[in-house]
Amino acid sequence: MAKHWGDFQYEIYLNGTTGAVPRLPTDLTRLEELVERRLAPGPVGYVSGSAGDGSTARANRAALERRRIVPRMLRDVHERDLSVEVLGRTLPAPLALAPVGVLSIMHPEAESAAARAAAAHGVPYILSSASSTPMEQVAEAMGDAERWFQLYWSKDREVTRSFLDRARASGFTVLVVTLDTPMLAWRPRDLDQAYLPFLHGVGTANYFTDPAFAAGLARPVHEDPDAAVTHFVSLFADPGKTWPDLAFLREHWDGPIVLKGVLHPDDARLAADAGMDGVVVSNHGGRQVAGSVAAADALPRVARAVGDRLSVLFDSGVRTGDDVFKALALGARAVLLGRPYVYGLGLDGQSGVDHVIRCLLAEFDLTLALCGHRVPTTVGPEDLVEEAG
């Protein structure tokens, strides 16, 4: 019999015969509570906090929970294959690890640990521009595994060009451009702690190792770290960027380009018109605009608008295997998982990320089968009903 992701449950049960139980909960929604208890308030607030009063993060969860799955019976689901085609590559499941910066605040092995866990399962790891670890080091930790690079689009064109050149040379194959953070939102949990890691030179590794960035400094980073931080803050993001600026990225990146943070179907159409390859329907996990539309409520409209032209991916609010199923039913080809793997990292390093990936995909595999599907591509709107809000 072929090995299925869902077989992880039998591994857990068999280990239990020797008295062993999982080190972390298998209900991934419990991880946040554990992190809140075990880690310092600054780092925890930075990862789990949201814009404003948190209404958008709550709406993300509510929009997924409002959709209910309608299982179908007596369909042959004995053999299953979770693999999908996304952006011209075959993934073992419709999952990638979302770009999350400054992971050293959660665990000393930071991005390298998360990347190794992703690589072990063939799940793409999306490295943040704002990582604690230089992209070359993360690439080395991953070997030949699938890796994508997330770009925070700098004011300095030469720094942007240098990042793209370095990412390509390091084997990153897809460029994920975050559009929804041209400036930081009002984030009370961080403000109440006066906690912003970048001001301490954390999450700046790609910049501080970059030759184009160094060219803008009077002295090397190690000689005047405060000046380096000031320079970083001055160029990190650019609220002046507009759609025509995408031509610069297209000119300097020869692989797929995906725009992250798209919620309006007209923006998705503009992305297609600009020659982009995909969009991520995302509100940054509720971290940027309080009162925003829930990502899962935006997803069907975007998928209808451009699903035949672009790869439509999804994040914001995904916590469980059934959330993945629902996202596919609403029109996504794959999902990006964010906070849960970061919580796993904070609690148990690489092993914690490994646990989160295996739990999520086991639950998705079992949900898929129990709802009458052998492959993710047959999941559609008819598999859901929407409860009255």
Side-chain angles (χ1 to χ4, degrees):
M1 187 178 77
K3 187 180 188 311
H4 295 121
W5 291 96
D7 293 343
F8 183 38
Q9 67 171 327
Y10 299 119
E11 182 181 321
I12 293 172
Y13 288 134
L14 284 170
N15 287 339
T17 63
T18 66
V21 297
R23 287 165 57 89
L24 296 179
T26 54
D27 173 0
L28 300 181
T29 66
R30 293 179 52 208
L31 296 178
E32 183 171 351
E33 177 194 349
L34 278 182
V35 164
E36 295 270 6
R37 290 209 307 259
R38 294 187 190 174
L39 274 65
V44 173
Y46 185 80
V47 173
S48 64
S50 302
D53 67 352
S55 65
T56 302
R58 292 193 297 276
N60 285 337
R61 290 299 305 146
L64 286 164
E65 290 170 3
R66 197 170 67 246
R67 272 92 181 178
R68 311 306 299 176
I69 300 168
V70 185
R72 299 297 304 276
M73 300 297 117
L74 291 175
R75 294 178 170 185
D76 181 0
V77 293
H78 177 66
E79 294 296 338
R80 300 178 303 284
D81 180 1
L82 265 55
S83 66
V84 291
E85 295 288 323
V86 177
L87 298 164
R89 55 248 321 121
T90 301
L91 308 184
L95 177 71
L97 295 193
V100 180
V102 296
L103 289 185
S104 63
I105 66 175
M106 297 299 281
H107 191 276
E109 292 186 32
E111 292 80 11
S112 294
R116 287 194 299 267
H121 297 292
V123 171
Y125 180 70
I126 310 176
L127 179 70
S128 172
S129 283
S131 64
S132 314
T133 315
M135 64 183 87
E136 293 82 2
Q137 191 175 324
V138 175
E140 189 177 343
M142 295 192 72
D144 296 329
E146 184 76 25
R147 50 187 174 267
W148 304 353
F149 183 71
Q150 178 269 342
L151 179 71
Y152 278 121
W153 203 349
S154 170
K155 279 182 184 164
D156 187 324
R157 278 195 162 201
E158 293 310 309
V159 170
T160 298
R161 196 195 321 258
S162 180
F163 271 29
L164 299 185
D165 289 345
R166 291 170 61 195
R168 187 183 303 103
S170 299
F172 292 87
T173 57
V174 173
L175 183 66
V176 179
V177 186
T178 296
L179 301 183
D180 58 17
T181 315
M183 59 193 76
L184 287 181
W186 187 254
R187 299 178 182 172
R189 284 194 69 173
D190 297 337
L191 291 163
D192 291 351
Q193 299 280 335
Y195 185 83
L196 188 62
F198 304 110
L199 300 187
H200 303 281
V202 180
T204 57
N206 286 317
Y207 298 84
F208 287 6
T209 56
D210 192 82
F213 180 88
L217 299 174
R219 290 189 287 169
V221 173
H222 68 275
E223 289 185 15
D224 194 348
D226 289 344
V229 167
T230 300
H231 186 49
F232 163 81
V233 171
S234 73
L235 59 75
F236 174 69
D238 184 1
K241 291 281 194 301
T242 59
W243 291 97
D245 291 312
L246 289 169
F248 176 82
L249 299 181
R250 186 75 281 174
E251 180 184 347
H252 293 283
W253 184 265
D254 53 11
I257 302 178
V258 177
L259 303 184
K260 183 173 183 287
V262 171
L263 294 166
H264 197 292
D266 287 349
D267 284 346
R269 293 185 186 99
L270 288 168
D273 294 343
M276 301 294 103
D277 301 278
V279 293
V280 183
V281 177
S282 167
N283 55 33
H284 217 97
R287 292 168 62 74
Q288 280 300 98
V289 178
S292 167
V293 61
D297 286 335
L299 175 57
R301 296 173 65 208
V302 171
R304 284 194 298 269
V306 298
D308 57 340
R309 302 170 68 191
L310 299 177
S311 290
V312 176
L313 310 180
F314 173 79
D315 79 17
S316 299
V318 174
R319 298 290 180 272
T320 64
D322 55 287
D323 290 338
V324 177
F325 184 98
K326 291 173 183 180
L328 299 186
L330 293 171
R333 293 195 195 177
V335 303
L336 276 50
L337 183 72
R339 287 183 177 100
Y341 90 79
V342 180
Y343 297 149
L345 176 72
L347 292 165
D348 201 19
Q350 180 179 337
S351 296
V353 181
D354 181 85
H355 174 83
V356 168
I357 293 170
R358 295 188 74 188
C359 286
L360 185 89
L361 290 181
E363 188 176 21
F364 171 62
D365 181 23
L366 296 169
T367 302
L368 191 76
L370 290 167
C371 294
H373 293 272
R374 296 174 57 250
V375 295
T377 50
T378 58
V379 178
E382 65 280 358
D383 290 297
L384 300 182
V385 294
E386 187 171 348
E387 293 181 338

